[in-house]
């Protein structure tokens, strides 16, 4: 019977794909984004903290994570949950103390886990001492921020131009004390620093030095593209996408993002990092088109984040779309650089909520096998999904500013709920049944402890793949990808002497029978390393004949050559 099914796939789809050889100096590891409010609460106040992270460092070791990035833990009024910093050199008491931080750093390093800080250079909190002094016009702070007197229109004072804030409305806010407007590309409480001021540039280098001296392994730079604005303060052209002048998409950002000095500042930061003996990483948050994004590689950053699996894939994407996204990065990235893949963060709906579970598994599988750095947003390793948050429970400033009618489309709360450790109170996140955001109600079954016991859980897949990523042989292995069917995508890593691995994801609704002989040099029989669907078609740990391999609908199959010696653990 099975043979008959095989003959039905008479028309082989056109096989497209890429091959790519990792450069020798490639940075290749799995990086995990901790959103500290939601990872683990150690003291029962319902908010995650540094001691909570220390308690749960084993999770990173077990999950083969080699570096973590902490979303901001600095002193902050928490209007934007830490992205509004009032002191760059202090720990906010909600997260703990500097001693806690130092202990965390030491405990992480003892496990060979690197720690990256979130560097937020574009803006401070309006409660920062610098802003308070700037407001009063005290030199040199008077020029620390972007002030403008505005212009007169029919006898009325109006903002200097039509620039729009990311959080809706004019990017300009009037202050009586200064008789001027200040610029805020994000919320009103996040005034933009003025990078034309040498004092500001010096202060921020000093912030980098402060944390590097403590021993951190580098930085992930927040909102990089917004650093400098054009000094002429001209109106930005209208995009035509919306008639609402308060909507961020109203204008095209030719004067407020990716200005040349924004690129030029990176080498000056790199110099600070390179004074240290250990390698220090510099990764940039950049949401832009391919050419503006790739340009950041040329200025001394390890890489600009690659968000294309977030911005360019949908619930309808097929295997060729995935292929296109993967291919575009390798095709456009400058020679010899490190690629990277980010599949989620605290500003985006969760991977499964965006793409549905079968596609999400395909993406998780694909990126974990791609050379370079992959970034896992906390909870993605167990397949957490967005939680519905009522208007009454909404705390995100973007959601709140949108108002009761529109908050559901802009609030970022749904993707920030507490990590689901087990099926106890508050999913084991806190001893407190009341947490800063409600725990997702699916936690009784969707939690780490449960998934560790299930062979085909999301976590099992993640753990199996991340173990492969750690192997030195695979870090150097050639990448080959192929579209095998409309909804079947394959990623292979091939070595000459240590064997090869082939991961095939079928995110379609029907089983697919694929012929793996489209891969050059593939042996005629392969072993099953992992299969997310256990069935009689594909028993676990069996030997597979490569010419007709059934990939069950909505499943992932990972196969290795018999000589593979990177799967020894
Ligand atoms: C950390 O890395 C060093 C050097 O590679 C190695 O000697 C040590 O065993 C590692 N420690 C752990 C806990 O993995
Ligand atoms: C990317 O956007 C910039 C404007 O920021 C524009 O000059 C450039 O042509 C765009 N590139 C592509 C490939 O669209
Ligand atoms: C992403 O989508 C944009 C807009 O449709 C397109 O111009 C761009 O080429 C796509 N890039 C990638 C890497 O898929
Ligand atoms: C993903 C990310 O870090 N997003 C942040 C970008 O910067 C703004 C302003 O600092 C924050 O609101 C986002 O959360
Ligand atoms: Ca706490
Ligand atoms: Ca700015």
């Amino acid at each position: 019977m099975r043979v008959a099914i095989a003959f039905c796939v008479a028309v082989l789809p056109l096989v497209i794909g890429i091959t790519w050889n990792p450069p020798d100096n490639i940075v290749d590891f799995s990086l995990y984004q901790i959103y500290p409010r939601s990872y683990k609460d150690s003291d029962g106040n319902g908010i995650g903290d540094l001691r909570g992270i220390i308690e749960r460092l084993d999770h990173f070791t077990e999950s083969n994570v080699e570096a973590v990035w902490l979303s901001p833990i600095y002193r902050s009024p928490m209007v934007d949950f830490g992205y509004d910093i009032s002191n760059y050199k202090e720990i906010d008491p909600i997260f703990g103390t500097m001693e806690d931080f130092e202990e965390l750093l030491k405990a992480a390093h003892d496990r060979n886990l690197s720690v990256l800080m979130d560097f937020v250079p574009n803006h401070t909190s309006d409660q920062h001492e610098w802003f308070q002094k700037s407001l009063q016009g005290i030199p040199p702070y008077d020029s620390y921020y972007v002030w403008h007197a505005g212009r007169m229109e029919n006898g009325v004072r109006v903002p200097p131009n039509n620039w729009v804030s990311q959080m809706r409305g004019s990017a300009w806010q009037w202050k009586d004390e200064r008789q001027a407007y200040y610029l805020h590309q994000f919320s009103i409480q996040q005034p933009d620093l003025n990078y034309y001021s040498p004092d500001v540039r010096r202060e921020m280098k000093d912030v980098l030095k402060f944390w590097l001296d403590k021993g951190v392994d580098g930085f992930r730079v927040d909102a990089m593209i917004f650093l400098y604005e054009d000094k002429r303060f001209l109106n930005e052209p209208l995009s035509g996408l919306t008639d609402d002048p308060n909507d961020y998409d109203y204008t095209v950002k030719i004067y407020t993002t990716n200005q040349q000095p924004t690129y030029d500042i990176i080498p000056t930061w790199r110099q600070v990092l390179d004074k240290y003996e250990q390698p220090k990483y510099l990764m940039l948050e950049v949401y832009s088109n391919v050419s503006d994004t790739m340009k950041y590689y040329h200025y001394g950053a390890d890489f600009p984040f690659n968000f294309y699996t977030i911005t360019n894939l949908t619930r309808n994407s097929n295997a060729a779309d995935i292929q296109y996204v993967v291919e575009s990065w390798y095709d456009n990235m400058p020679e010899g650089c490190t690629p990277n893949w980010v599949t989620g963060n605290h500003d985006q709906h969760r991977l499964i909520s965006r793409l549905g579970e079968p596609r999400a598994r395909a993406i998780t599988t694909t990126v974990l096998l791609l050379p370079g750095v992959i970034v896992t947003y906390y909870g993605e390793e167990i397949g957490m999904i967005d939680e519905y948050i009522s208007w009454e429970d909404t705390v995100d400033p973007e959601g709140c500013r949108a108002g009761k009618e529109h908050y559901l489309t802009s609030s970022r709360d749904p993707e920030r709920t507490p990590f689901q450790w087990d099926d106890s109170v508050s999913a084991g996140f806190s001893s407190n049944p009341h947490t800063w955001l409600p725990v997702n109600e699916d936690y009784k079954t969707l939690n780490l402890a449960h998934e560790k016991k299930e062979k085909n859980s999301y976590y099992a897949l993640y753990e199996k793949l991340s173990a492969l990523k750690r192997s030195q042989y695979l870090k150097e292995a050639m990448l080959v990808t192929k579209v095998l069917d409309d909804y079947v995508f394959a990623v292979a890593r091939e070595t000459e002497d240590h064997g090869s691995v082939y991961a095939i994801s079928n995110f379609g609704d029907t089983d697919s029978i694929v012929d793996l002989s489209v891969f050059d040099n593939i042996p005629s029989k392969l072993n099953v390393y992992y299969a997310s669907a256990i069935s009689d078609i594909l028993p676990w740990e069996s030997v597979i004949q490569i010419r007709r391999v059934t990939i069950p609908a909505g499943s992932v199959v990972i196969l290795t050559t018999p000589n593979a010696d990177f799967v020894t653990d």
Side-chain angles (χ1 to χ4, degrees), residues 298-336:
H298 296 289
Y299 291 81
D302 287 280
F303 45 78
F305 272 159
N306 172 354
F307 292 119
Y308 291 114
T309 64
I310 296 177
T311 54
N312 281 48
L313 295 177
T314 70
R315 280 177 178 266
N316 299 316
S317 297
N318 59 22
D321 297 328
I322 296 179
Q323 171 65 33
Y324 180 74
V325 162
V326 171
E327 192 174 0
S328 300
W329 196 270
Y330 293 107
D331 278 358
N332 290 291
M333 185 180 70
E335 196 95 353

Side-chain angles (χ1 to χ4, degrees), residues 474-489:
L474 282 193
K475 287 185 202 289
E476 291 159 11
M478 166 111 92
L479 166 72
V480 181
T481 70
K482 295 206 188 287
V483 172
L484 297 180
D485 202 344
D486 289 351
Y487 298 102
V488 181
F489 188 65

Side-chain angles (χ1 to χ4, degrees), residues 253-254 257-258 289-292:
K253 313 298 166 191
I254 61 169
T257 65
N258 295 329
N289 68 25
V290 174
S291 49
D292 281 0

Side-chain angles (χ1 to χ4, degrees), residues 140-159:
Y141 303 100
D142 55 344
S143 59
Y144 268 37
Y145 295 85
V146 185
W147 293 100
H148 197 290
R151 44 191 185 87
M152 298 306 284
E153 210 170 70
N154 305 323
V156 183
R157 190 178 296 277
V158 294

Side-chain angles (χ1 to χ4, degrees), residues 19 95 109 123 165 265 368 399 416 467 476 487-489 551 566:
T19 57
F95 296 122
H109 284 169
H123 44 266
S165 149
I265 199 168
L368 274 160
R416 297 178 176 182
E476 291 159 11
Y487 298 102
V488 181
F489 188 65
I551 314 294
F566 48 79

